[in-house]
Amino acid sequence: MELYNGERPSVFRLLGKYMRKGLYGILTQGPIPTHLAFILDGNRRFAKKHKLPEGGGHKAGFLALLNVLTYCYELGVKYATIYAFSIDNFRRKPHEVQYVMDLMLEKIEGMIMEESIINAYDICVRFVGNLKLLSEPVKTAADQSMRATANNSRFVLLIAVAYSSTDEIVHAVEESSKDKLNSNEVCNNGIEAEQEFKEANGTGNSVIPVQKTESYSGIKLVDLEKNTYINPYPDVLIRTSGETRLSNYLLWQTTNCILYSPYALWPEIGLRHVVWSVINFQRHYSYLEKHKEYLK
Amino acid sequence: MDLKPGAGGQRVNRFVDPFAQISYHFLQFLWRTLHLLVSLWYLQVSMVQMIEGFLISSGLVKRYGALDIDKVRYLAIVVDSEEAYQISKVIQLLKWVEDMGVKHLCLYDSKGVLKTNKKTIMESLNNAMPFEEAVEKDVLLDQKQMTVEFASSSDGKEAITRAANVLFMKYLKYAKTGVGKEEPCFTEDQMDEALKAIGYKGPEPDLLLIYGPVRCHLGFSPWRLRYTEMVHMGPLRYMNLGSLKKAIHRFTTVQQNYGT
């Protein structure tokens, strides 16, 4: 699969493709992760390091992203999630935010124009996050690309934009509440729980005994799980630049996820990082499967 | 580590082309050799880390001599539940943490093994107080004793579910008044308040140390991990003071921009 036109001569590209195929043949003797997630960290540092003009780091990062998605697709990974823009990123300098929004709009429109290629490779594109925070042109383009690729299923690309995990959790609570209201399940349980809440507030004791909320609970854990933006959960999360935190990304979904932090800046990410994450996934597959079973 | 073949490891049908059989076995051999080489690599890395840890513990590496421990306002330690049964190791680790001057600590393992052994662990520490007691007596800011919070998987997503029900019930109460027919709309601050209302007052850790085979937080409360630095320390049985000092020292040099 070739998502871009590289500048190298085609014989090297062919050689690279067949070597990758050989490597995938070895790796696929073991379990392959269903879902890889990425935090694209280090674009600005890359631009500074290579003295690129403003936005140069993000452009290089986009090329790196296409390469990584190619490797995921070829390896048989079914889902890839990328952290394109966080709600916190809106606090950056306005011209920087505008640049990223313009770049995103340009790339989404490019994707819409190449719809036939995307559909030929059976790729589904989904934008997840608090999309109401996006400007109208970006939101419209995102909706259009999602509609155009909705029926594809070989590879699902989830683009987290205007996203944060805490916002996602609150959104899941809201959606679960709406579901409960619509299904009229509350009824008597709701009245009893309300009494409980009144008593707790009335005595000044703001701690509601855990057992009592459980017996009256309307929303269940499975409801929240169903209403998160991102499903299924990732198997490996790769954050470049050596940073070891999640920065409010996929906090809910990473209970059984391997966290991998290579020192490479995002535009420097390559096949070796994807391969290393797959190898580590295979090393710890049994352990994480056992942990998942325990938590069910 | 327990390697399991995946979908690519196809069942060998004796009636299949012999070439396919040979290539299957050859690929299996290459796959296992690759993993053997990776295991040797990790073994070498562990040995280097152990030697480095020993040198740091002995004070031979000056860089880790003085730690700015005040930067670690809240430390969390995640332990693999099977390894958490090594209570003596856990107690030793906590004594090191206490001696280093950490004031607030959260101990987590998903199955609640550490919770079950809370009394034994607290009795072994010189100057520590359970987190709940510190909250009740309002002495969280008191720097004389280390507070220790015990957590398990029921304090993560399940706690958030309980808080979700608090918010939902509040909404129902409001909806019953008939003022407006707005849909449920909550904020992160309201979620914070709901969690505190049901007893979850633990703050977000600055640093989370993971003792286990995998770098994975194993279900630590998702609401408390937004900007937490996570460091994998390896299996608990190989813990050493030097690696602990190095991890904390490294944390004190990290600069976060919080997305801006």
Side-chain angles (χ1 to χ4, degrees):
Chain A
M1 169 178 128
E2 287 165 8
L3 290 176
Y4 73 104
N5 283 322
E7 290 177 1
R8 283 174 280 177
S10 58
V11 67
F12 287 111
R13 208 156 15 129
L14 264 176
L15 189 62
K17 188 179 171 183
Y18 285 112
M19 284 179 70
R20 285 202 309 270
K21 231 179 164 176
L23 180 58
Y24 300 150
I26 298 170
L27 285 177
T28 50
Q29 296 306 301
I32 295 295
T34 306
H35 186 170
L36 291 181
F38 301 92
I39 299 181
L40 286 51
D41 196 4
N43 291 316
R44 291 186 294 178
R45 273 170 278 180
F46 181 84
K48 219 173 173 179
K49 184 175 161 185
H50 296 275
K51 298 183 176 53
L52 298 177
E54 193 164 332
H58 287 94
K59 284 194 175 140
F62 182 73
L63 287 177
L65 174 63
L66 292 180
N67 285 337
V68 163
L69 293 178
T70 303
Y71 305 144
C72 290
Y73 185 96
E74 291 173 342
L75 200 41
V77 172
K78 178 83 192 270
Y79 296 85
T81 302
I82 60 170
Y83 200 12
F85 199 81
S86 139
I87 292 177
D88 289 332
N89 293 155
F90 279 112
R91 293 188 281 139
R92 288 186 177 179
K93 294 185 189 131
H95 69 270
E96 205 181 314
V97 173
Q98 190 57 47
Y99 180 82
V100 175
M101 288 294 133
D102 290 342
L103 180 65
M104 221 184 316
L105 180 60
E106 180 195 322
K107 297 306 174 193
I108 297 172
E109 285 174 343
M111 205 176 2
I112 293 168
M113 281 174 55
E114 303 290 351
E115 189 188 315
S116 54
I117 299 178
I118 304 278
N119 287 332
Y121 284 108
D122 203 10
I123 298 171
C124 175
V125 177
R126 286 190 219 151
F127 289 85
V128 293
N130 196 342
L131 303 184
K132 291 185 293 236
L133 299 177
L134 296 175
S135 62
E136 205 47 51
V138 176
K139 192 171 174 317
T140 308
D143 287 340
Q144 198 179 343
S145 69
M146 283 196 280
R147 271 197 307 272
T149 60
N151 295 326
N152 299 337
S153 58
R154 158 74 176 81
F155 182 75
V156 180
L157 172 62
L158 294 147
I159 304 173
V161 64
Y163 172 93
S164 75
S165 244
T166 43
D167 180 78
E168 179 186 26
I169 291 170
V170 171
H171 166 84
V173 173
E174 285 170 352
E175 293 301 307
S176 303
S177 301
K178 284 180 205 167
D179 291 344
K180 287 295 163 192
L181 285 172
N182 291 338
S183 66
N184 292 323
E185 276 178 40
V186 176
C187 300
N188 293 331
N189 282 353
I191 295 166
E192 284 162 351
E194 192 195 317
Q195 282 287 47
E196 193 69 39
F197 197 78
K198 265 190 192 156
E199 281 165 22
N201 283 339
T203 58
N205 174 11
S206 62
V207 177
I208 298 173
V210 161
Q211 298 86 336
K212 291 202 171 159
T213 56
E214 274 177 352
S215 53
Y216 298 137
S217 76
I219 297 172
K220 297 183 179 51
L221 178 57
V222 66
D223 298 321
L224 294 182
E225 305 254 346
K226 191 181 72 180
N227 283 307
T228 52
Y229 292 133
I230 294 170
N231 255 305
Y233 297 167
D235 299 300
V236 186
L237 189 155
I238 301 165
R239 178 172 187 158
T240 48
S241 310
E243 304 292 349
T244 58
R245 56 191 178 271
L246 294 177
S247 294
N248 214 342
Y249 179 55
L250 298 181
L251 305 179
W252 185 273
Q253 290 86 346
T254 47
T255 298
N256 296 298
C257 176
I258 297 173
L259 311 174
Y260 171 39
S261 301
Y263 286 111
L265 302 173
W266 175 256
E268 296 165 349
I269 194 172
L271 177 63
R272 64 193 184 286
H273 302 106
V274 176
V275 168
W276 192 246
S277 62
V278 171
I279 289 173
N280 278 289
F281 170 76
Q282 293 178 344
R283 280 170 61 81
H284 302 295
Y285 177 74
S286 303
Y287 172 83
L288 290 170
E289 287 298 300
K290 247 191 264 177
H291 195 255
K292 270 185 213 171
E293 275 310 307
Y294 164 73
L295 288 176
K296 268 190 190 161
Chain B
M1 188 198 78
D2 180 18
L3 288 184
K4 280 205 161 39
Q10 303 124 4
R11 280 215 193 131
V12 180
N13 184 334
R14 63 182 68 190
F15 299 111
V16 160
D17 173 16
F19 176 74
Q21 281 193 38
I22 293 168
S23 58
Y24 164 72
H25 287 296
F26 180 61
L27 286 172
Q28 276 283 309
F29 166 75
L30 287 178
W31 180 69
R32 288 186 189 276
T33 306
L34 173 66
H35 276 279
L36 176 63
L37 291 173
V38 169
S39 295
L40 289 173
W41 162 258
Y42 274 115
L43 181 64
Q44 176 255 141
V45 165
S46 307
M47 283 171 62
V48 167
Q49 283 173 348
M50 271 177 65
I51 294 169
E52 189 186 24
F54 171 75
L55 292 173
I56 295 170
S57 313
S58 320
L60 293 169
V61 183
K62 302 290 177 205
R63 193 171 10 148
Y64 303 105
L67 287 176
D68 186 5
I69 203 68
D70 290 335
K71 277 196 169 177
V72 186
R73 289 164 302 180
Y74 203 88
L75 176 69
I77 295 178
V78 169
V79 183
D80 167 59
S81 290
E82 294 308 312
E83 297 186 18
Y85 286 105
Q86 303 172 54
I87 297 297
S88 55
K89 284 271 184 191
V90 173
I91 290 169
Q92 176 65 73
L93 176 62
L94 296 191
K95 283 184 174 168
W96 285 340
V97 165
E98 195 180 23
D99 290 343
M100 286 165 81
V102 169
K103 288 300 163 201
H104 303 289
L105 172 70
C106 178
L107 264 185
Y108 172 93
D109 78 281
S110 55
K111 290 184 185 172
V113 172
L114 297 172
K115 256 188 193 174
T116 313
N117 291 281
K118 179 176 171 178
K119 194 162 175 249
T120 312
I121 293 170
M122 293 307 296
E123 281 170 0
S124 312
L125 297 173
N126 298 329
N127 198 20
M129 178 191 277
F131 181 78
E132 302 79 22
E133 200 181 305
V135 167
E136 240 177 71
K137 293 181 180 172
D138 198 17
V139 292
L140 268 180
L141 295 176
D142 177 5
Q143 299 297 299
K144 293 190 189 116
Q145 284 183 296
M146 180 171 80
T147 64
V148 184
E149 182 190 355
F150 288 82
S152 66
S153 58
S154 62
D155 303 309
K157 289 183 180 178
E158 289 173 33
I160 291 173
T161 308
R162 290 194 283 271
N165 279 294
V166 169
L167 291 178
F168 182 44
M169 293 309 162
K170 247 185 175 166
Y171 167 79
L172 282 181
K173 184 183 168 192
Y174 167 77
K176 272 185 140 204
T177 63
V179 177
K181 300 271 181 199
E182 291 157 14
E183 285 192 321
C185 181
F186 308 121
T187 64
E188 291 179 29
D189 288 338
Q190 286 173 322
M191 187 58 150
D192 270 333
E193 289 306 315
L195 280 164
K196 284 180 183 149
I198 56 172
Y200 292 96
K201 300 181 184 183
E204 186 173 320
D206 302 296
L207 176 62
L208 186 132
L209 303 177
I210 301 167
Y211 285 92
V214 191
R215 183 160 172 257
C216 172
H217 62 73
L218 300 176
F220 192 91
S221 174
W223 196 257
R224 296 168 65 182
L225 282 176
R226 287 176 306 164
Y227 300 105
T228 304
E229 300 285 338
M230 296 186 214
V231 180
H232 184 216
M233 305 298 289
L236 188 67
R237 65 181 179 278
Y238 299 135
M239 68 175 200
N240 62 73
L241 177 59
S243 303
L244 180 62
K245 279 187 174 177
K246 183 181 174 184
I248 291 179
H249 179 266
R250 259 189 151 163
F251 166 76
T252 60
T253 61
V254 163
Q255 284 190 342
Q256 285 209 35
N257 59 12
Y258 299 98
T260 55

